[in-house]
Amino acid sequence: MITDTPKYEPTLQDLFAAFEAADGTAEALEWLADNDIGPPPIPTKLLCVEAGAFVSGTPNSLVFPVIKDGETIDFLAIDLEDCRYRTLLGWPEWLGADNLGAEVVRLHFSPLEWLEAGCAGVVQIHPFARAHFAALQGSSVIECADIELALEAWDFGFSGRDAELARFEIDAPKECIDYYFERCAYWRIRGLEFEKRFAALGAYA
């Protein structure tokens, strides 16, 4: 149940029971509609989240279950102010884990993008690990609208092997792709400038 103060280290069972008992579905659907996102196929609620628990108070997060093998393994909370997200119990690797291994899978940039797509495809949500990108090897085609994310997945999931890049279909807007390569060129030039400066300093050493 929802309490006035966070329970110390709530378990999955605690969170599941509190989520099931809580209101907030209508408010979540309204918030999603205001952000041009249709009703998702998973239960979604606006709740107040503090210290990893659901507490009474003004809702501050959009909350929904993280599901793997058909079972809820955690809950993900998206802050209503800045759209940053976090899981409440641990560090699961994926949203949409049950979609991994499909012949064609879409790799989304964010949980909100995944919700907008009707929870089709996957989102990498681990804060720092990347080895799990290897799970994408089970798909022949990996669609992605973010070039940096696609190349990160190729690098960590396929060891940057040239032949594997053909799996990726990057459908980012042209201006985003242009901006990415312009940034790469800029930092490459800056790196060469620094190399020249250090070489010049070394000559006087």
Side-chain angles (χ1 to χ4, degrees):
M1 61 182 293
I2 300 293
T3 59
D4 292 329
T5 57
K7 181 178 179 179
Y8 180 69
E9 293 187 354
T11 65
L12 177 59
Q13 290 74 22
D14 293 332
L15 290 177
F16 189 84
F19 183 83
E20 289 290 300
D23 296 323
T25 299
E27 293 84 351
L29 294 177
E30 181 179 357
W31 187 89
L32 288 168
D34 288 343
N35 288 274
D36 300 319
I37 300 175
I42 57 174
T44 308
K45 300 182 179 184
L46 285 195
L47 299 173
C48 184
V49 178
E50 290 184 11
F54 307 135
V55 300
S56 58
T58 302
N60 58 14
S61 302
L62 181 75
V63 180
F64 53 87
V66 179
I67 298 171
K68 182 179 182 181
D69 297 327
E71 301 289 337
T72 295
I73 62 170
D74 206 331
F75 286 87
L76 187 137
I78 302 176
D79 189 278
L80 300 182
E81 292 295 324
D82 58 19
C83 290
R84 293 184 181 181
Y85 62 87
R86 63 189 177 97
T87 49
L88 303 186
L89 289 172
W91 290 333
E93 297 167 345
W94 297 100
L95 286 179
D98 292 349
N99 298 326
L100 290 165
E103 182 69 13
V104 179
V105 67
R106 176 164 287 277
L107 177 61
H108 294 286
F109 177 74
S110 71
L112 282 179
E113 185 180 293
W114 181 72
L115 289 175
E116 186 177 10
C119 302
V122 296
V123 189
Q124 184 297 116
I125 57 172
H126 198 285
F128 52 83
R130 293 297 181 269
H132 55 280
F133 272 127
L136 294 171
Q137 294 178 13
S139 296
S140 298
V141 178
I142 303 160
E143 300 172 335
C144 188
D146 184 278
I147 186 170
E148 286 193 64
L149 175 60
L151 293 177
E152 181 182 35
W154 170 62
D155 189 18
F156 285 96
F158 300 87
S159 302
R161 296 188 296 273
D162 290 344
E164 301 293 354
L165 193 57
R167 294 183 192 233
F168 289 82
E169 292 187 0
I170 303 172
D171 49 9
K174 180 179 181 300
E175 57 270 21
C176 294
I177 295 175
D178 290 344
Y179 175 71
Y180 170 80
F181 284 108
E182 286 171 3
R183 236 170 5 115
C184 288
Y186 170 79
W187 287 111
R188 175 57 178 158
I189 292 170
R190 290 297 303 272
L192 291 173
E193 290 175 351
F194 281 120
E195 287 178 12
K196 289 179 181 179
R197 291 178 184 176
F198 283 124
L201 290 173
Y204 289 100

